[in-house]
Amino acid sequence: MKTTKIIISTILVCVAHIAVAGNIVLLEGGDLMKWEIANSEKITPTTYSVVEDDGMQVLEAKADMSASGYLTQQKLPFSQQAQIKVTYKLLEANNPNDEKTREGDDFPLRIYLTARSFPIYRTIVLVHALQYNTGDTWTSPYDGALTKFEMYAFAGGDDKFGEWQTATIPVGQLWDQAFGTEEEKLDGFGFMVDSDNSGGSMRTRISKIEYNY
């Protein structure tokens, strides 16, 4: 059965405008005005709310056997130098199953970047892994003929809980390694916190997501 993990990448084709600056702040202060919700009627949605942390407004996601995420409404210019920079804090995360299987395909934070070369959707899925090391890569268990998903652990399970951390992810290089194709733009970008497959629980706070190209 297709889950929100498929939905969040394959519907990312309706967009607004192309930004012209080299830096785009996609999320800050919990402001979701640039985003639209992506969920499935068959799956309990993750709860997202704006909370205060260290004197600033941030987005908190709570996933208890649930999954849903948010998508951008704009295309993003792309280059081999493109980077994602995300500042976040893990408060709770557990997954009893193998993260590389469908039964364990849940993460305290995952970020999607999608491009379409008709009829194929290609997606890099950036995750904070609990069971694998920073830099590990694998093909998603949801990979298919027309929807290609390559996973990358931008952080590993040994990272500290309860502390703000910032990851800078070289998505342009990762795209080249995963697909070997040049893209002029991304057709979509999304993020989610999920625990629907494994039945575990996740709680993550996100302060800022920015895209550099």
Side-chain angles (χ1 to χ4, degrees):
M1 180 181 67
K2 302 294 185 182
T3 70
T4 306
K5 301 165 181 66
I6 299 294
I7 295 170
I8 201 170
S9 59
T10 56
I11 69 174
L12 293 174
V13 294
C14 181
V15 295
H17 61 277
I18 298 178
V20 295
N23 173 272
I24 303 171
V25 176
L26 295 168
L27 178 69
E28 188 171 26
D31 183 3
L32 290 169
M33 291 188 64
K34 296 179 181 179
W35 302 80
E36 60 182 283
I37 189 71
N39 55 24
S40 169
E41 294 180 356
K42 298 180 180 180
I43 301 172
T44 301
T46 295
T47 300
Y48 293 88
S49 59
V50 178
V51 300
E52 185 170 313
D53 190 314
D54 291 338
M56 58 184 176
Q57 298 291 306
V58 301
L59 186 68
E60 180 173 286
K62 293 182 180 180
D64 293 306
M65 295 183 289
S66 61
S68 62
Y70 282 89
L71 316 173
T72 60
Q73 298 181 6
Q74 65 183 108
K75 289 187 178 181
L76 299 174
F78 195 62
S79 72
Q80 195 173 30
Q81 292 73 44
Q83 295 180 332
I84 289 292
K85 188 175 181 180
V86 55
T87 301
Y88 67 105
K89 177 192 290 188
L90 299 187
L91 297 178
E92 180 182 0
N94 61 80
N95 185 341
N97 299 325
D98 187 343
E99 292 172 316
K100 293 185 178 181
T101 67
R102 287 199 175 201
E103 294 76 17
D105 187 55
D106 291 329
F107 299 92
L109 181 59
R110 71 166 82 215
I111 296 170
Y112 294 85
L113 296 94
T114 296
R116 185 185 187 191
S117 298
F118 185 83
I120 298 175
Y121 289 88
R122 294 181 176 88
T123 300
I124 288 284
V125 187
L126 313 169
V127 298
H128 183 119
L130 300 176
Q131 303 163 4
Y132 294 94
N133 297 321
T134 302
D136 282 356
T137 63
W138 64 95
T139 298
S140 167
Y142 290 94
D143 186 75
L146 299 180
T147 52
K148 311 302 295 182
F149 297 91
E150 292 297 326
M151 313 287 290
Y152 174 79
F154 66 82
D158 57 350
D159 284 347
K160 296 179 180 179
F161 280 67
E163 296 183 9
W164 287 107
Q165 52 192 306
T166 298
T168 301
I169 311 162
V171 293
Q173 297 176 25
L174 294 174
W175 191 279
D176 183 62
Q177 293 168 12
F179 301 119
T181 59
E182 290 190 13
E183 305 292 344
E184 293 184 357
K185 64 183 182 306
L186 294 174
D187 290 303
F189 180 93
F191 70 91
M192 70 185 301
V193 174
D194 57 307
S195 63
D196 58 313
N197 290 350
S198 66
S201 59
M202 311 286 183
R203 185 158 67 105
T204 304
R205 290 180 177 177
I206 306 170
S207 171
K208 189 174 184 179
I209 303 175
E210 50 187 314
Y211 178 73
N212 302 304
Y213 63 93

